[in-house]
Amino acid sequence: MADSADTPRAAGSPAPAAPGGPPPRYGTRPTMKDVAARAGVGLKTVSRVVNGEPGVTPDTERRVQEAITALGFRRNDSARILRKGRTASVGLVLEDLADPFYAPLNRAVEEVARRHGALLINGSSAEDAERERELALAFCARRVDGLIVIPAGGDHRYLEPEIAAGVATVFVDRPAGLIDADAVLSDSFGGAREGVAHLIAHGHRRIGFIGDQPRIHTAAERLRGYRAAMADASLPVDESWVSLGSTAPERVRAEAERMLAGPRPVTALFTGNNRVTVTALRVTARLPRPVALVGFDDLELADLLSPGVTVVAQDAARLGRTAAELLFRRLEGAGEAPRRVELPTRLIVRGSGELPPAGD
Amino acid sequence: MADSADTPRAAGSPAPAAPGGPPPRYGTRPTMKDVAARAGVGLKTVSRVVNGEPGVTPDTERRVQEAITALGFRRNDSARILRKGRTASVGLVLEDLADPFYAPLNRAVEEVARRHGALLINGSSAEDAERERELALAFCARRVDGLIVIPAGGDHRYLEPEIAAGVATVFVDRPAGLIDADAVLSDSFGGAREGVAHLIAHGHRRIGFIGDQPRIHTAAERLRGYRAAMADASLPVDESWVSLGSTAPERVRAEAERMLAGPRPVTALFTGNNRVTVTALRVTARLPRPVALVGFDDLELADLLSPGVTVVAQDAARLGRTAAELLFRRLEGAGEAPRRVELPTRLIVRGSGELPPAGD
DNA sequence: TAGAGCCTGGACAACGTTGTCAAGCACGGC
DNA sequence: GCCGTGCTTGACAACGTTGTCCAGGCTCTA
């Protein structure tokens, strides 16, 4: 009846007054009901076709498919999610989407999610605990199946109800604060210790350490690695050689210049992450003679500088991949106790770490 | 009432019968109904509290809040979205989340979305048209309010029903194929022309061009810019100096080596994007004498190489910001015809582009 | 003191989908 | 000729939220 198949697209029936009073609907799109009406079949049959369920005759299926294309129908996944419970999506809270260190991690997580048929929602905390919280909880409200978090804050008890409710949660790069949860980390302590030991092996005694804010776990661990390496070699540490704080270029620049000046300057620098390393390199490049430097995190083009930059590299993609795989294993029901996975770092020798002490 | 608020967390509280009687539901999350029962109020009142709507006495509000915390309730946004029609989320399809060029773009989009209270869903097309399509349509099924796409494919007619249904759509970095839609681009043609002219001004006559696949709009435009600059100076172009194709290091390396060898090698290279530039730099770094080079896209550390790398820089963050702002303007109802915004590029002179021709 | 108005709270019907269940039908075996 | 069997199909009730609308109870005024 009146199924004249010439309605060009007209998704929503214009009938304005339903008894319950429809709320103002913005993009009215065709629904399965519209498709069913047009194809002259039942609602459930459309659902079956859309989901590739068996039990539909080729002829019926064709009619439905035609109606779908004609109307430009696309299944509303919000409704589907509501009905099914699972969303096939994971949330990733990281520190800065634009940071070259986190970008490959992001990509690796996406890749694993894709293999599992899940979409990725993400956001940057900008190293702000409150924003991390907002993001993570917003993702939970969207009912992500799982959550991967690079912690900015130090207290993750706010996630307890979510985890209890079944949101698989894995922390990456830094451990969770005040709750027991899965975590995938790099060996910051061991990596820094190895990097600093490398400088010591090349004759350095006065080594500066510039790192991120001390409340950040990796920064603290790397400093601990620095101290361990110095202690291993029985070298004293003058506290003026150690500087933790913001990685803003101005601060790093000032600290590097301070350490490299004066009557007894440091002869080498160990820099605590990629952002610090870049700024430190800009400082040392201006000096009359090169300064030995080892940085945590690899840098693109590090091999092309002269000397090449010796770094302690983490495998960011592997961090992400490992975390995501752990997450999906949890989702598939692995109910063991929370695990902490620690991935090794790798010292990449390129020249800057092998320079001898300058005027010593 | 036995509202003792001492239930530690217990999402599905095992206590079967509180006076209002929270239904003992296992494996599920508490809903507004549960909260209402526990607080001894109606469903809509809970909704009002959760959404900060007026018309609730402080006392009632407190009771509801207590129930919310006690049960660990979190609003189910899928249901909310289903009811309200708007999802407060935008989808971003880019080429590679891990590419240092796209990461800031991603971040900029996120930032604008955040300012508008929207979440960001994203994915990498890996330069594969089919995957771009899958992602974009999956986002549409999630009923994103808007879509930002860095096209991989050349035919976007598949998005027509979505756009007609009200999904605001903006293309970035490259224009849409076969449909009329908003696009935010960099001036690839002008940028390349300027970069190549710069080399010509420094005495080069034989200049190689290595770029991305010719089907990619930016690659084609940059090649066009190269040819225009050569034509402007009345210089002939030997087709062996031009190479478009995959940006895989092996190919780029081979092409660069080929162009720089032989009896009449090119004396300078213009590289079509950041990935090509990096590989080309690795090749030229091994040569006995430096080769003049200008690259499209800026690189981190480009200033620290010697010589510094002269580049034609695009402002990726600005691309993202502009696109996202345009998107939200559309969402707020700006119904003008699709626009094409073109952002200028900037030549950053650092040394590599000013080297004179070698053995000419 | 009664009537009018305001404020709070709750019942109910959507939103678009999927799971359950039963009806309708053709076919084949006894 | 009858009934069971297998298949396709559709009616209906959820899922958890929000918009509408109405019922009380309260205050304020005449």
Side-chain angles (χ1 to χ4, degrees):
Chain A
M1 298 293 204
D3 194 10
S4 51
D6 58 7
T7 347
R9 171 165 331 97
S13 54
R25 302 176 54 215
Y26 297 89
T28 45
R29 306 192 55 143
T31 73
M32 287 194 177
K33 205 161 131 193
D34 301 323
V35 174
R38 172 154 187 147
V41 302
L43 187 53
K44 182 64 213 206
T45 302
V46 177
S47 171
R48 273 190 267 261
V49 171
V50 169
N51 294 297
E53 287 170 28
V56 180
T57 26
D59 181 59
T60 313
E61 170 157 6
R62 190 186 45 73
R63 286 219 314 287
V64 172
Q65 285 293 9
E66 276 173 17
I68 288 177
T69 350
L71 295 176
F73 167 80
R74 183 157 318 282
R75 181 178 64 196
N76 184 331
D77 273 356
S78 286
R80 168 170 231 249
I81 285 165
L82 176 60
R83 187 62 232 258
K84 304 201 71 146
R86 280 261 165 138
T87 59
S89 54
V90 302
L92 170 62
V93 181
L94 34 70
E95 198 246 303
D96 182 356
L97 280 168
D99 187 313
F101 171 69
Y102 292 113
L105 191 155
N106 192 1
R107 175 67 192 270
V109 170
E110 186 211 354
E111 205 54 54
V112 176
R114 203 177 74 91
R115 278 210 304 279
H116 286 84
L119 287 183
L120 181 63
I121 312 184
N122 54 24
S124 309
S125 69
E127 208 61 89
D128 172 348
E130 182 50 34
R131 204 158 141 182
E132 171 210 307
R133 193 183 120 105
E134 277 169 21
L135 278 169
L137 290 182
F139 294 167
C140 289
R142 297 289 173 116
R143 293 293 185 270
V144 291
D145 297 332
L147 208 49
I148 296 183
V149 181
I150 295 175
D155 180 356
H156 295 93
R157 282 175 300 181
Y158 70 89
L159 279 174
E160 280 183 329
E162 312 301 326
I163 295 172
V167 181
T169 306
V170 177
F171 292 80
V172 197
D173 190 43
R174 315 169 187 170
L178 307 183
I179 65 171
D180 190 27
D182 288 315
V184 178
L185 313 172
S186 277
D187 180 13
S188 283
F189 171 76
R193 186 185 205 169
E194 184 182 6
V196 174
H198 185 74
L199 288 169
I200 295 173
H202 285 82
H204 296 274
R205 298 292 170 263
R206 300 196 306 278
I207 302 174
F209 178 97
I210 307 182
D212 211 332
Q213 323 248 25
R215 64 180 170 76
I216 298 175
H217 179 260
T218 49
E221 282 293 290
R222 290 169 199 174
L223 176 57
R224 207 164 62 80
Y226 163 86
R227 293 197 193 277
M230 295 295 272
D232 290 344
S234 308
L235 292 175
V237 173
D238 185 309
E239 287 309 314
S240 74
W241 302 343
V242 172
S243 168
L244 262 57
S246 146
T247 58
E250 310 79 53
R251 190 196 76 91
V252 172
R253 171 177 298 274
E255 288 298 86
E257 283 169 352
R258 180 182 59 71
M259 290 181 194
L260 291 166
R264 284 179 64 76
V266 299
T267 63
L269 285 174
F270 186 84
T271 48
N273 70 27
N274 58 344
R275 291 184 301 273
V276 176
T277 307
V278 167
T279 306
L281 286 171
R282 295 226 161 86
V283 171
T284 59
R286 296 224 183 133
L287 299 179
R289 45 174 18 195
V291 172
L293 183 148
V294 173
F296 212 107
D297 295 336
D298 202 1
L299 304 171
E300 174 141 46
L301 301 190
D303 56 322
L304 288 179
L305 296 185
S306 44
V309 186
T310 295
V311 298
V312 176
Q314 326 180 50
D315 189 339
R318 188 169 161 207
L319 273 177
R321 201 180 328 115
T322 309
E325 277 161 1
L326 180 51
L327 183 89
F328 281 100
R329 231 176 304 136
R330 294 289 185 202
L331 281 177
E332 279 150 19
E336 318 123 34
R339 286 170 46 186
R340 177 183 286 213
V341 181
E342 194 157 273
L343 300 180
T345 58
R346 192 164 56 97
L347 182 72
I348 303 181
V349 174
R350 294 203 182 101
S352 74
E354 297 74 56
L355 296 170
D360 218 19
Chain B
M1 299 295 210
D3 192 11
S4 50
D6 57 7
T7 345
R9 169 183 331 107
S13 70
R25 308 178 55 218
Y26 298 101
T28 345
R29 304 194 54 141
T31 72
M32 286 194 178
K33 204 162 133 192
D34 302 324
V35 174
R38 169 147 189 152
V41 302
L43 188 53
K44 182 63 212 209
T45 301
V46 177
S47 171
R48 273 192 269 261
V49 171
V50 169
N51 294 297
E53 289 171 25
V56 182
T57 33
D59 182 60
T60 313
E61 169 157 7
R62 190 187 44 75
R63 287 217 315 287
V64 172
Q65 286 292 7
E66 276 173 18
I68 287 177
T69 349
L71 296 176
F73 167 80
R74 184 159 316 283
R75 182 179 64 198
N76 184 330
D77 272 358
S78 287
R80 168 171 232 251
I81 285 165
L82 176 59
R83 185 61 231 253
K84 301 200 72 145
R86 281 256 165 143
T87 60
S89 54
V90 303
L92 169 62
V93 182
L94 33 70
E95 197 246 303
D96 181 356
L97 280 169
D99 186 311
F101 171 69
Y102 292 113
L105 191 156
N106 192 0
R107 176 67 194 271
V109 171
E110 186 212 354
E111 206 53 54
V112 176
R114 204 177 73 91
R115 278 211 304 279
H116 286 83
L119 287 182
L120 181 63
I121 312 184
N122 56 23
S124 308
S125 69
E127 207 62 87
D128 171 351
E130 184 49 34
R131 205 158 142 184
E132 171 210 305
R133 192 184 122 105
E134 278 169 19
L135 278 169
L137 290 182
F139 295 167
C140 290
R142 298 287 174 117
R143 292 295 185 271
V144 291
D145 296 333
L147 209 49
I148 296 183
V149 182
I150 297 175
D155 180 355
H156 294 94
R157 281 174 299 179
Y158 70 90
L159 279 175
E160 280 184 329
E162 312 301 326
I163 294 173
V167 181
T169 306
V170 177
F171 292 81
V172 197
D173 189 44
R174 313 168 189 170
L178 306 182
I179 65 172
D180 189 26
D182 287 314
V184 178
L185 314 172
S186 278
D187 179 13
S188 283
F189 170 75
R193 186 185 206 169
E194 185 182 6
V196 174
H198 185 75
L199 288 168
I200 295 172
H202 284 81
H204 296 274
R205 299 290 172 264
R206 298 196 307 279
I207 303 174
F209 178 97
I210 309 181
D212 210 331
Q213 322 247 27
R215 64 179 171 78
I216 297 176
H217 179 261
T218 49
E221 281 294 289
R222 290 169 200 174
L223 175 57
R224 206 163 63 80
Y226 162 87
R227 291 198 194 278
M230 296 294 272
D232 290 343
S234 309
L235 293 175
V237 173
D238 185 310
E239 287 309 313
S240 74
W241 304 341
V242 172
S243 169
L244 263 58
S246 147
T247 58
E250 310 79 53
R251 190 196 78 92
V252 173
R253 171 177 299 276
E255 290 298 85
E257 283 169 350
R258 180 181 62 71
M259 290 181 195
L260 292 165
R264 284 179 65 77
V266 300
T267 63
L269 286 175
F270 186 84
T271 48
N273 70 29
N274 58 344
R275 292 184 300 274
V276 175
T277 307
V278 167
T279 306
L281 286 172
R282 294 225 162 86
V283 171
T284 58
R286 296 223 183 134
L287 299 179
R289 47 174 15 194
V291 172
L293 183 149
V294 172
F296 212 106
D297 295 335
D298 202 1
L299 304 171
E300 176 142 47
L301 299 190
D303 56 324
L304 287 179
L305 296 185
S306 42
V309 186
T310 294
V311 298
V312 177
Q314 323 181 49
D315 190 338
R318 187 168 161 208
L319 273 177
R321 200 178 332 115
T322 308
E325 277 163 359
L326 181 52
L327 184 87
F328 282 100
R329 229 175 306 137
R330 294 287 185 203
L331 282 177
E332 280 150 18
E336 319 122 36
R339 286 170 46 186
R340 175 182 290 212
V341 181
E342 194 157 273
L343 300 180
T345 57
R346 194 163 55 96
L347 181 72
I348 303 181
V349 174
R350 294 203 181 100
S352 74
E354 297 74 54
L355 297 170
D360 217 21

